Amino acid sequence: SLWRRYLSKTRGSAASPRLLLYPPSRSASSLLRATLGALLGLLALGLLHEAVRDLGLSAAVAAFGAEATLLFALPGAKVSQPRTVLLGNTVAAAVGVLVRHGYALGALLAALRRGDDAADVHMRLADVHWSAPAVAVALAVAAMVALRVPHPPGGALAFLAVTVPVQPWLHFSFILLPALCGSILLVFIAVFFTNLFPDASYPISYK
């Protein structure tokens, strides 16, 4: 039945060779699937963002524009599979946050050694050294490759983790939201929307 076939696809199935090709098909079905999927996914992220913005949190970050492109335009690609998306984004965000705190700790110790007053110390902690984004992305790439989950939007999340101005006590929340929760939401929508189309299947594998 159609329902059983749909459920089978949501559990991960072998993709047709056409789905794994790049560039993706320009058929009407593929264009509709990619367009509506990206629209639904990012609208959902927008709603989540509105729900948490008063808490000083964010769910709508630029990296998820790239994420939606991968999930809905290239559902058969290795970098689009759930394990790669969820683990790659979360690990990369965690690396970025740790790099940011490492730089902040270094700045704090340097300021204390100089005997700076409290106001100067607070100002220095808010600054991001020009080398921090490069270090964060490089280490995030290394971590993702080591775990075999290289994921392009993960590099963007690592970059954002050290450059987006947030309150110090919210830095670690970046790993949970937007990185992990945003990724889960987009993957959830990709699984249940993409498989509505008879010529598409997502995910190919959860491994």
Side-chain angles (χ1 to χ4, degrees), residues 79-185:
V79 294
S80 303
Q81 301 313 301
R83 179 177 182 272
T84 302
V85 174
L86 301 179
L87 191 55
N89 281 344
T90 305
V91 167
V95 169
V97 169
L98 290 173
V99 167
R100 182 167 191 159
H101 278 272
Y103 270 84
L105 179 60
L108 174 61
L109 294 175
L112 292 175
R113 281 198 301 268
R114 288 192 301 268
D116 294 347
D117 61 37
D120 288 338
V121 171
H122 181 76
M123 184 176 299
R124 290 180 185 278
L125 290 178
D127 293 335
V128 177
H129 192 271
W130 62 268
S131 65
V135 172
V137 174
L139 292 179
V141 169
M144 289 188 288
V145 170
L147 293 170
R148 301 180 68 183
V149 288
H151 193 58
L157 286 170
F159 189 99
L160 288 169
V162 297
T163 56
V164 172
V166 294
Q167 297 296 329
W169 56 86
L170 291 177
H171 287 170
F172 282 99
S173 71
F174 187 88
I175 302 169
L176 179 64
L177 186 70
L180 178 59
C181 291
S183 300
I184 290 173
L185 179 59

Side-chain angles (χ1 to χ4, degrees), residues 14-25 74-78 81 201 204:
S16 66
R18 182 177 59 77
L19 271 179
L20 300 176
L21 293 178
Y22 186 87
S25 168
L74 294 169
K78 174 63 176 175
Q81 301 313 301
S201 180
I204 307 308

